[in-house]
Amino acid sequence: MRGARPTRLPMAYRFAAFLLRPLLMALTKREWRGVEHLPATGGFVVSPNHISYVDPLIFAHFMYDNRREAYFLAKESLFTIPGVGWVIRRAGQIPVYRNSVAAAQAYRAAVAAVREGKAVAIFPEGTITRDPDLWPMRGKTGAARVALETRCPLIPVAQWGPEEILSPYGHRPRLFPRKTMHLLAGPPVDLSDLYDRPIDTRTLREATDRLMDRITELLEEIRGEEHTHERFDPRQHGVPEIGDPMKHHELGRSQPGTTTEGEPA
């Protein structure tokens, strides 16, 4: 068991953990590895892949029980849900206003949280993966931007199992028999050679690709299989980057020769 928590938890965070942790302990089995890579002190960014609506609960459980509770960047619509919104706001979670000029507020809040010594959780894909085999898809640059700005550790995490409880964009959970939640944290992604470069589109894309490569490698270890096709890019397939893609387009595989250069930061 790790030592004392490096920051004091808000009352609402402790209340949510009091309610939810016993349920997660009863409803899931757990295989957690790589916890030695979670820094015991100091702020950092931790980035898992995204495969189900229940990911944040499973990942929060992993972080909480390892004494590095996560502060999430969460879509702002969650903050408007009666009761839930009040709890997550008082628990210190950070709203993200997608495709809005207000999105910069989330970035500044994440940087401030890291500098306060918190573990800031950022799903680098920004939404549930659109890859038909649930491999990590092309990442957005927010996690890398915060890590480069603060020069803090950037910890990759792969998770597998939440999709068995609730399929991507599903609404009917399958709780029994109990499913095993596999989480594997890796060593920090090495970005030191990028610290003295301008934090521009090219640098952010390079850092983000390193992160997604590492998450994919960790997921290969969990799944016991190799990721063999090019990383799925929703923009190359006309798939919407927010919302349920199955309402709009059938998912397809990436085609050879696609490019990921020139993404706006």
Side-chain angles (χ1 to χ4, degrees):
M1 182 64 69
R2 295 162 72 93
R5 302 181 189 280
T7 59
R8 179 173 174 79
L9 292 179
M11 179 72 73
Y13 205 125
R14 284 179 282 162
F15 175 72
F18 176 78
L19 292 180
L20 294 173
R21 185 177 180 275
L23 289 175
L24 292 170
M25 292 293 290
L27 295 174
T28 67
K29 295 183 286 185
R30 293 154 299 283
E31 183 185 67
W32 293 345
R33 293 182 289 152
V35 297
E36 68 275 11
H37 298 304
L38 300 176
T41 60
F44 63 98
V45 174
V46 57
S47 290
N49 59 314
H50 203 352
I51 49 181
S52 170
Y53 281 138
V54 301
D55 288 345
L57 286 177
I58 302 302
F59 187 67
H61 187 195
F62 171 73
M63 295 294 291
Y64 181 86
D65 274 21
N66 286 292
R67 299 294 191 269
R68 288 313 314 257
E69 68 284 347
Y71 292 84
F72 287 85
L73 269 67
K75 59 184 181 180
E76 55 84 21
S77 59
L78 295 176
F79 291 77
T80 65
I81 301 174
V84 173
W86 183 90
V87 171
I88 62 176
R89 189 177 298 277
R90 293 300 184 95
Q93 309 310 301
I94 303 168
V96 175
Y97 300 87
R98 288 171 168 171
N99 301 322
S100 164
V101 294
Q105 297 176 8
Y107 167 72
R108 290 193 292 268
V111 168
V114 167
R115 289 176 172 161
E116 291 168 7
K118 295 178 179 177
V120 175
I122 302 177
F123 289 96
E125 296 158 282
T127 190
I128 293 173
T129 181
R130 272 79 168 115
D131 185 281
D133 297 322
L134 300 187
W135 290 103
M137 65 176 180
R138 186 175 192 262
K140 296 183 179 297
T141 57
R145 182 185 290 272
V146 175
L148 288 170
E149 172 70 22
T150 60
R151 300 193 177 187
C152 72
L154 174 59
I155 307 297
V157 178
Q159 55 181 348
W160 193 244
E163 80 291 345
E164 293 189 6
I165 295 177
L166 190 65
S167 62
Y169 297 99
H171 299 283
R172 295 183 178 180
R174 302 183 298 273
L175 300 178
F176 300 102
R178 288 196 306 163
K179 314 299 191 298
T180 300
M181 303 296 104
H182 303 270
L183 284 97
L184 174 59
V189 179
D190 185 7
L191 303 179
S192 59
D193 60 310
L194 305 179
Y195 287 162
D196 294 328
R197 284 170 43 174
I199 304 179
D200 55 17
T201 299
R202 182 179 177 181
T203 300
L204 290 169
R205 176 47 45 201
E206 184 171 344
T208 300
D209 286 345
R210 290 184 193 180
L211 171 62
M212 301 313 298
D213 286 345
R214 189 63 186 122
I215 293 173
T216 301
E217 290 168 3
L218 295 170
L219 189 57
E220 286 178 328
E221 184 174 341
I222 292 175
R223 292 174 58 167
E225 57 183 302
E226 185 179 354
H227 174 250
T228 58
H229 57 275
E230 188 171 349
R231 185 170 296 128
F232 190 87
D233 183 349
R235 303 182 312 172
Q236 297 290 337
H237 297 273
V239 178
E241 295 191 60
I242 58 175
D244 185 349
M246 299 306 293
K247 292 180 180 179
H248 304 279
H249 297 278
E250 181 178 355
L251 290 175
R253 290 188 182 275
S254 297
Q255 299 299 318
T258 57
T259 178
T260 58
E261 293 299 320
E263 179 197 37

